[in-house]
Amino acid sequence: MQPVQKIIGMNLKIARTKRSITQAEIANKLGVEASYLSRIERGSVPASCEKNL
């Protein structure tokens, strides 16, 4: 069984690519670096649901 963070990252990548959205576009909207989003999609780091506004 895959760790939850890998499953979340895989699902995020699938949803993003189906909509033809780049990592840079999503990262810009979220206010994070594209490299961080890349690590989330690979399952290297857990996704955080918290956002300071």
Side-chain angles (χ1 to χ4, degrees), residues 11-22 26 41:
N11 286 331
L12 177 62
K13 183 174 183 176
I14 290 168
R16 178 181 62 76
T17 55
K18 279 185 179 180
R19 291 168 179 79
S20 300
I21 302 172
T22 66
I26 292 179
E41 287 186 355

Side-chain angles (χ1 to χ4, degrees), residues 7-52:
I7 295 169
I8 291 171
M10 186 172 43
N11 286 331
L12 177 62
K13 183 174 183 176
I14 290 168
R16 178 181 62 76
T17 55
K18 279 185 179 180
R19 291 168 179 79
S20 300
I21 302 172
T22 66
Q23 286 179 340
E25 290 172 320
I26 292 179
N28 185 42
K29 289 182 180 187
L30 294 175
V32 299
E33 295 290 327
S35 60
Y36 175 64
L37 188 60
S38 175
R39 290 191 307 268
I40 291 172
E41 287 186 355
R42 289 193 316 264
S44 301
V45 297
S48 172
C49 295
E50 294 183 18
K51 176 75 176 140
N52 296 326

